[in-house]
Amino acid sequence: MKRFKLLVSGLVTVFVCMAGDCSRARVESVNKMNEGVTAAVQKRYVDATKLLESAAAIDPENDQVFWNMALVHMELRKYDRAREDLQKAIALNAKSGGYQEKLGTILIELKDWPAAKTAFEKAIELEPDLFKAHYKLAQVNEQLDDQQSALKNYTAAIDKGPRFLEAYNALGRLYADLGYMDNSVQVLQEALKVALPGTEEEAQAHHLLGTVYQQQKKYADAVREFKAALDVVPGMRDALFSLGWTYQLQGNKDEAKRYLQKFVDVAGAEAPAHYVKAARDKIAEMAEGFATSAANE
């Protein structure tokens, strides 16, 4: 559902075409394009593709047709086709930072990291306030093992989009990965100030902050943050595991066993196998410890 909402928000419908600026072919192309956009919104992607291709045939200079075609092909996971569409749109309108950003997003899907880096850098050059371009460039920087540039671009994403919580979470995680724990705590605390209450992003920020506190051996603070994450998303697997693991680090075996078992119960096929194994092993280890203790009494 989230993918579809993103597609709909990116589709472009043109309602006004000034007579002095538009040829007859452009008017017909725009009308056909709008029909294609309507079909895409209704999830009639085959019809949408045909209508947009017809719009492009009528007026090959209509760059917005190729933008919309790229979004439909992205929804269909036809990323090679989407890349071709965006390249055509850019050839017709080289001044659009948004086109470059979307091309970079497609190149991420194709795992062409150097080309994605170039696209996002061009997007930012054209439109410096595109905060998601900074964010995605930082993701590419990480893939290219350029952590300092990633820190710089995550920070820029926050500066340009101060309510864009994903950038806070990514920057906080990266600081923690690099061992800058105090910086990580500061960023994640700021994230919680701008988070919308009751959202998964808020839960993720609490969880990340908890993991940093756990690494700092501030177990009471970690427990508080993991519980806060679970208050927002009660079945959050990562938080259940982290809370159980922190309790066992505190020596609270009863609560550790309870939350690790909850994690195992909801883990499912998507949970990393090594986490499930670690939880089961720890539960068994604690159960064995209980048995040994009881036998010695």
Side-chain angles (χ1 to χ4, degrees):
M1 180 59 71
K2 187 175 181 181
R3 270 182 70 83
F4 179 65
K5 286 181 179 178
L6 291 174
L7 169 64
V8 172
S9 67
L11 287 165
V12 174
T13 303
V14 176
F15 295 101
V16 177
C17 189
M18 300 302 292
D21 296 330
C22 293
S23 65
R24 181 181 180 86
R26 175 56 58 91
V27 173
E28 293 179 1
S29 175
V30 166
N31 288 337
K32 191 67 68 175
M33 181 186 74
N34 289 344
E35 291 179 38
V37 168
T38 299
V41 170
Q42 296 172 347
K43 302 185 183 181
R44 296 186 289 113
Y45 299 126
V46 173
D47 291 338
T49 300
K50 290 179 179 178
L51 288 163
L52 292 170
E53 287 175 348
S54 177
I58 294 168
D59 183 0
E61 302 298 310
N62 186 349
D63 58 283
Q64 291 177 333
V65 170
F66 296 105
W67 164 266
N68 286 318
M69 288 175 65
L71 294 179
V72 172
H73 284 135
M74 288 179 73
E75 188 64 21
L76 296 172
R77 300 183 181 275
K78 295 181 178 180
Y79 296 114
D80 286 318
R81 290 288 303 277
R83 175 178 56 189
E84 293 173 10
D85 296 331
L86 257 299
Q87 287 170 337
K88 290 176 182 177
I90 290 167
L92 294 168
N93 181 3
K95 296 182 179 181
S96 172
Y99 287 2
Q100 292 285 352
E101 181 191 340
K102 191 63 68 177
L103 176 60
T105 302
I106 292 164
L107 291 166
I108 284 178
E109 295 290 346
L110 293 170
K111 294 183 169 46
D112 189 346
W113 310 114
K117 178 176 180 287
T118 299
F120 291 128
E121 288 175 341
K122 184 64 176 178
I124 292 166
E125 177 186 334
L126 290 167
E127 299 183 43
D129 291 336
L130 288 175
F131 60 90
K132 288 188 179 179
H134 286 283
Y135 172 74
K136 293 174 185 177
L137 177 56
Q139 292 180 307
V140 172
N141 292 146
E142 287 199 73
Q143 290 292 332
L144 295 173
D145 201 26
D146 185 355
Q147 312 302 340
Q148 291 305 312
S149 292
L151 289 173
K152 174 185 174 182
N153 283 300
Y154 283 134
T155 302
I158 292 170
D159 290 340
K160 303 296 183 181
R163 299 198 66 83
F164 185 47
L165 196 62
E166 291 178 56
Y168 289 91
N169 287 344
L171 180 59
R173 172 195 51 76
L174 182 56
Y175 270 134
D177 289 346
L178 296 174
Y180 304 132
M181 297 302 178
D182 291 339
N183 299 79
S184 180
V185 168
Q186 181 179 357
V187 169
L188 293 170
Q189 287 175 338
E190 289 300 312
L192 289 169
K193 293 178 183 178
V194 303
L196 289 175
T199 61
E200 290 187 14
E201 287 79 7
E202 181 195 19
Q204 181 67 12
H206 279 298
H207 178 259
L208 286 170
L209 183 54
T211 62
V212 176
Y213 283 139
Q214 187 196 82
Q215 291 178 64
Q216 293 178 315
K217 298 185 179 180
K218 297 179 179 179
Y219 298 135
D221 290 332
V223 166
R224 182 189 67 240
E225 295 302 325
F226 295 140
K227 284 187 172 181
L230 290 169
D231 285 342
V232 177
V233 181
M236 186 176 180
R237 288 194 301 260
D238 290 347
L240 289 170
F241 178 87
S242 297
L243 181 55
W245 203 262
T246 304
Y247 272 132
Q248 68 88 20
L249 290 172
Q250 282 185 310
N252 188 339
K253 294 184 178 180
D254 288 334
E255 289 298 276
K257 183 178 179 182
R258 184 160 74 94
Y259 281 99
L260 288 174
Q261 188 60 57
K262 282 187 177 183
F263 165 74
V264 171
D265 291 342
V266 303
E270 295 181 2
H274 63 284
Y275 276 94
V276 177
K277 183 179 185 302
R280 285 175 172 160
D281 288 348
K282 186 59 66 175
I283 291 168
E285 178 186 318
M286 288 186 292
E288 183 178 334
F290 289 145
T292 302
S293 178
N296 291 334
E297 290 180 359

